[in-house]
Amino acid sequence: MEPTNIKDPEYFHKVVDCQYACPAHTPVPEYIRLIAEQKYTEAYMVNWESNVFPGILGRTCDRPCEPACRRGRVEKEPVAICRLKRVAADNKDDVKHLMPKIPTTKNGKKIAMVGAGPASLTVARDLAPQGYELHLYDEQKAGGGFMRSQIPSFRLPETVLDEEVNYILDMGVVSTFNTRVNSLAELLTKGYDAIFVGSGAPRGRDLDLPGRQEAKANIHIGIDWLASVAFEHITKIGKKVIVLGGGNTAMDCCRTARRLGGDHVKVLVRSPFAEMKASPWEKEDAAHEDIPIIDNHVPKAFIVENGKLKGMTFDRVKPVRDENGKRSLVSTGEPEVFVEADDVLIAVGQENSFPWIERNIGIEFDKWDMPVVDPTTFQSTNPKVFFGGDAAFGPKNVITAVAHGHYAAVSIDLMCRGEDITKRPSPYTNLVSTKMGVHEWSYDNQVTTDIRYKVPHAEKKMTLKDRKHEVELGFDVATGFKEAERCLNCDVQTVFTESKCIECDACVDICPTSCITFTMNEDSENDLRKHLKAPATNKSQDLYVSKTLPTARVMVKDEDVCLHCGLCAERCPTAAWDMQKYIYNTTKASKVW
Amino acid sequence: MSYARPKFRHPQLPKNELGYTQDYYEGSISTLCAGCGHDSISAAIVQACFENNIEPHRVAKMSGIGCSSKTPAYFLSHSHGFNSVHGRMPSVATGANMANKGLVYLGVSGDGDTASIGMGQFVHAVRRNLNMVYIVMNNGCYGLTKGQDSATADKGSKNKAGNVNDFESINLASLALELGATFVAQSFSGDKTQLVPLIKAAMKHNGFAFLNVISPCVTFNNNVGSTKSYDFVREHQEATSTFDLVPHKTEITTKYDEGTTKSVVMHDGSLIQLHKLEEKWDPQNKLSAMTALENAKNKGEILTGLIYINEQSEDLHALLNTSDTPLNKLTQDVLCPGTEKLKEINKTLR
Ligand SMILES: Cc1cc2nc3c(=O)[nH]c(=O)nc-3n(C[C@H](O)[C@H](O)[C@H](O)COP(=O)(O)OP(=O)(O)OC[C@H]3O[C@@H](n4cnc5c(N)ncnc54)[C@H](O)[C@@H]3O)c2cc1C
Ligand SMILES: Cc1ncc(C[n+]2csc(CCOP(=O)(O)OP(=O)(O)O)c2C)c(N)n1
Ligand code: SF4
Ligand code: SF4
Ligand code: SF4
Ligand SMILES: [Mg+2]
């Protein structure tokens, strides 16, 4: 193999598994170290710069970083990255004075944003410090988008939401709430230099089954129902409730129903339990609140008696896979199952819908009626109109919306400066030694064997009484510290200098996880993998290959299960290995911290 | 800041026939200088024991004094061990060995511990063909006492202070051969592909297996002009052969050209397969082995690999017809058969 080009900013970025997996590339190990040092404010700001909503995300993030976390490859469970974020948010001091200063003289450019969800708010946050005039429209009465209307208060308290939404609205954003934008064509005539569409995926799928019309008073579309609960238009539900669907919306529906009077709430889902879309922890939380999840049941009909909903019938199915592994659900042939219900919540999916965007204003739509959006610039085929968040590529999650917001803000800023928006500025990177002395590093290189700590929950009998009572209590400071210690500091990179190596094997011998091998080189990566000291089967992780050494061999390090313990560097007599902290910050329209 | 080795190991480490992963053969973290050759030899011992499917509790680690003699702390934590007085390991090993023939005796010593203070002990262990592995971690100096020239420092070799050694060096491999060692090998700490199979074969040998391993001292003897530095050894290492140890009952897969290959069946049925690089040398012929060593010395080269083996070797137990049962398992009446028996024996001596 060719020697690894560690100058490529993505090489070491990829080694920081959590940061690489985070759509907004939050420098996770950096903030975890700050938490361990009890520098909560700094830890908060490191987050805030990247993901804009640390308090919100510390409670609700989909956490794609955790399945990616290296710790999950050396022991059972990853670091509780997400809940550590909350520790920073819960324990920080006032941060207002650390926020960017907003110029009073504006730069003369005016930007509109449709929808006040996380995508638009991120665009606003990134552009405000540059003096842009920012106009935000939302049909709801307050900012936050789905974070306000959908995510229930027992998972995300309103105070946390308000605080983080207001940091942005207070940057001089001109917001117009309770106002739906009914025509993009009209908005385009209002002299905006760019328009960002962050209107989400606001339509819940319906189920057109027999009895749907007759029983409509007791059948609710999940996301509409959750919004009505959030805005207090709905405060009650029947005692027996069926929730249809297996995603996170279904989980929020059933848990909310439990708090509004549903004593017998059941989730019925078509697919097998293990294949449900909901995150494992959401399923656990539902189970903890005595909500049975009944899988392999396909809804057939709403049963109505005397004009009133009585329940639903279901067909029992089992999953069958064809030769391509494609799954279909086949009836078991058993008799239909009847389940009683006073109310049914339909949570079987969510769609985009853009009735307010005219089709003759230069915005191309594809065959699924989705706007054609460039995945890097987030520009539509109308150069002035950008999309981001759920509106761009369908429903995802908050952190993805934030990431889109950053990209779109960079594009809008470049465009307004008259520059080519396809020429993206490179990320900020820095690689600096952590060596302080003999066996002494500026990071804590000891590796603890503690297993993942559990976040404590409030008592069920309290939380089920009040839909605003937060269920998770968050880590206390002491537990937060111990959990933070589990992080392996994957951003402290093992950097190898061929010219210094005397091939003494000391690093090979000391490495606890057998990462390092000195061997003859091979042309192909697959062949080289076969020569390594320990099985190197995880091909998603790179091999770090040196230039040829005096013995004609190369140093090969499998990045897969490196503990970043620094022992290779401690053992190397010539400092051919060094532990160097890698900083990687994605490009943003403004430097905000 | 740390000086602890993390507990985590590679999650897919292979298991040996006993069901152990290699980490079961590890010891505590080494306190030797970073880059010391001795640590590589320790790692090679760990690997050899793992691959040889040895139960750690069947190994007795014996050593004297020196950095090298400290290393038994850094491998085989689950084995027995005795860290003896400087240069006295051979007698302690002899005693232990005589008392229990059921263990694998792994002696670790230094060039100072063996060739200076312990010379008088060493030579007798060799000539008695004590059944043990005797590894000298040879760095040409007294590492532990700050690097004074040892008796294996080559004539003309320069130490760190720039002083040239004027004395003739002791060639331990030649000496062992001379004294009747039945397994003699030389290797280099920086060459595990050679060293590991040599240690494995030595452990299978029935009799005194001597391994002289050049092991650079990074702190006191890795300077330019030293003949025991990493660079010098790499440039002057001349291998007798490449080497495979094929365990008993395993199919032989490596094929070498006819004529350059030599197979030696070991005591336990396993096979040493040698692919000869040194033409005029025959590992079963003592004279040829001695000549090869002498030739290498004259050329300023370090001959490595298996140098001599006598697989028919009879060890001290066989020569003395000792008890198969360890002494601590024998009952009082067997160990001390009484006055009558003593009289009987005495009578035969009159
Ligand atoms: C029940 C539920 C629970 C969820 N839980 C989580 C979670 O725990 N974690 C997570 O990461 N994600 C979660 N999500 C997904 C997440 O909420 C969304 O992916 C995210 O909010 C999308 O952000 P956005 O900025 O694209 O738009 P949204 O947050 O959807 O905001 C769009 C806003 O635009 C407004 N709008 C739409 N059209 C117009 C118009 N024409 N004029 C004016 N205003 C308009 C809407 O009223 C809305 O306020 C959940 C989703 C649902 C449905
Ligand atoms: C009886 C006695 N004399 C002298 C010493 C001092 N001493 C300790 S180690 C050592 C030399 C060790 O040299 P070597 O065996 O080559 O080991 P190395 O440290 O080089 O591995 C000496 C002379 C001692 N410990 N005991
Ligand atoms: S161990 Fe720490 S730095 Fe590494 S992936 Fe996990 S959270 Fe990130
Ligand atoms: S930091 Fe070095 S010694 Fe530690 S696990 Fe990684 S490669 Fe091995
Ligand atoms: S410890 Fe240092 S000098 Fe020795 S092999 Fe490793 S990198 Fe090379
Ligand atoms: Mg020595």
Side-chain angles (χ1 to χ4, degrees), chain A residues 494 511-513 515-516 557 562-568 579:
Chain A
T494 55
C511 177
T513 42
C515 303
I516 306 169
K557 182 194 163 207
C562 169
L563 304 170
H564 296 261
C565 65
L567 282 187
C568 48
M579 303 306 292

Side-chain angles (χ1 to χ4, degrees), chain A residues 124-143:
Chain A
R125 205 265 331 238
D126 286 0
L127 293 180
Q130 301 291 335
Y132 285 91
E133 192 179 325
L134 300 160
H135 293 186
L136 180 66
Y137 299 90
D138 199 298
E139 58 182 324
Q140 309 283 13
K141 65 173 183 186

Side-chain angles (χ1 to χ4, degrees), chain B residues 68-120:
Chain B
S68 35
S69 292
K70 280 172 76 180
T71 61
Y74 315 139
F75 55 82
L76 297 174
S77 278
H78 300 281
S79 299
H80 308 279
F82 197 105
N83 191 202
S84 81
V85 188
H86 201 10
R88 269 56 177 172
M89 178 266 277
S91 6
V92 180
T94 307
N97 196 321
M98 286 299 99
N100 183 353
K101 62 167 79 161
L103 302 181
V104 175
Y105 292 89
L106 180 58
V108 174
S109 180
D111 43 320
D113 195 62
T114 292
S116 294
I117 192 167
M119 183 58 109

Side-chain angles (χ1 to χ4, degrees), chain A residues 55-291:
Chain A
I56 296 172
L57 288 165
R59 293 167 164 85
T60 64
C61 189
D62 254 359
R63 23 172 153 155
C65 52
E66 291 191 16
C69 170
R70 173 177 304 265
R71 182 103 191 174
R73 297 198 295 272
V74 289
E75 57 136 321
K76 271 215 196 80
E77 290 205 79
V79 176
I81 301 170
C82 178
R83 277 8 181 203
L84 282 172
K85 204 188 300 297
R86 174 171 172 181
V87 172
D90 285 356
N91 295 290
K92 67 182 188 303
D93 296 325
D94 183 28
V95 292
K96 272 239 115 157
H97 64 287
L98 299 171
M99 304 266 159
K101 304 283 166 287
I102 307 305
T104 39
T105 12
K106 298 295 166 189
N107 69 2
K109 303 283 180 186
K110 219 167 66 174
I111 315 295
M113 288 159 298
V114 184
S120 292
L121 290 171
T122 302
V123 172
R125 205 265 331 238
D126 286 0
L127 293 180
Q130 301 291 335
Y132 285 91
E133 192 179 325
L134 300 160
H135 293 186
L136 180 66
Y137 299 90
D138 199 298
E139 58 182 324
Q140 309 283 13
K141 65 173 183 186
F146 268 21
M147 301 189 297
R148 187 178 297 277
S149 67
Q150 298 296 318
I151 303 183
S153 302
F154 57 82
R155 288 208 287 125
L156 174 59
E158 229 170 279
T159 46
V160 176
L161 177 66
D162 286 343
E163 178 192 326
E164 292 188 335
V165 169
N166 287 340
Y167 287 146
I168 299 164
L169 297 183
D170 291 350
M171 292 177 162
V173 175
V174 183
S175 29
T176 315
F177 291 126
N178 295 312
T179 304
R180 183 176 165 84
V181 174
N182 283 313
S183 161
L184 184 57
E186 196 191 317
L187 199 63
L188 276 165
T189 64
K190 295 205 171 148
Y192 289 112
D193 296 284
I195 295 175
F196 178 79
V197 179
S199 59
R203 191 161 73 192
R205 274 203 203 109
D206 202 349
L207 272 184
D208 191 15
L209 297 174
R212 173 72 179 91
Q213 279 314 308
E214 295 89 311
K216 68 168 187 262
N218 294 96
I219 301 172
H220 321 274
I221 301 291
I223 65 169
D224 297 342
W225 183 79
L226 284 171
S228 302
V229 173
F231 295 116
E232 302 187 328
H233 306 312
I234 289 179
T235 53
K236 286 203 298 289
I237 197 160
K239 283 204 177 329
K240 295 183 200 120
V241 181
I242 290 176
V243 177
L244 300 175
N248 288 338
T249 305
M251 298 302 110
D252 281 341
C253 283
C254 68
R255 296 179 69 197
T256 303
R258 279 291 272 132
R259 287 157 170 80
L260 296 194
D263 292 338
H264 301 283
V265 181
K266 292 190 172 91
V267 175
L268 285 108
V269 52
R270 296 156 50 95
S271 59
F273 186 83
E275 291 167 35
M276 284 168 62
K277 282 214 181 103
S279 322
W281 56 89
E282 303 250 8
K283 294 198 274 188
E284 268 167 42
D285 289 343
H288 179 69
E289 293 175 359
D290 316 310
I291 302 165

Side-chain angles (χ1 to χ4, degrees), chain A residues 383-404:
Chain A
K384 275 196 169 177
V385 181
F386 296 80
F387 285 75
D390 288 357
F393 307 112
K396 299 265 161 28
N397 49 36
V398 174
I399 190 66
T400 305
V402 168
H404 291 179

Side-chain angles (χ1 to χ4, degrees), chain A residues 71 73-75 438-441 443-450 488 502-506 508-515 533-538 551 553 558 560-561 563 565 567 570-573, chain B residues 1-14 22-23 26 28-44 47 188-193 216 218-219 222 230-231 234:
Chain A
R71 182 103 191 174
R73 297 198 295 272
V74 289
E75 57 136 321
V438 180
H439 305 315
E440 220 174 326
W441 307 95
Y443 73 109
D444 183 357
N445 63 329
Q446 300 247 25
V447 177
T448 107
T449 48
D450 288 10
L488 297 169
I502 58 169
E503 298 181 65
C504 68
D505 262 10
V508 178
D509 297 335
I510 196 69
C511 177
T513 42
S514 315
C515 303
K533 196 180 170 201
T537 52
N538 181 0
T551 57
R553 300 179 300 173
D558 182 4
D560 187 19
V561 290
L563 304 170
C565 65
L567 282 187
E570 288 193 7
R571 266 308 154 89
C572 179
Chain B
M1 149 152 195
S2 83
Y3 211 71
R5 195 162 181 237
K7 295 264 182 322
F8 293 122
R9 294 292 174 269
H10 194 288
Q12 293 168 46
L13 282 186
Q22 189 165 308
D23 55 312
E26 290 170 359
S28 34
I29 191 166
S30 164
T31 58
L32 302 182
C33 304
C36 176
H38 299 355
D39 282 337
S40 288
I41 303 174
S42 297
Q47 194 183 331
F188 169 44
S189 65
D191 186 0
K192 283 206 194 71
T193 31
V218 271
T219 305
N222 196 32
Y230 279 104
D231 285 347
R234 282 226 165 83

Side-chain angles (χ1 to χ4, degrees), chain B residues 173-196:
Chain B
S174 305
L175 181 68
L177 266 179
E178 164 74 36
L179 293 166
T182 47
F183 181 112
V184 177
Q186 294 205 106
S187 193
F188 169 44
S189 65
D191 186 0
K192 283 206 194 71
T193 31
Q194 184 191 59
L195 179 56
V196 172

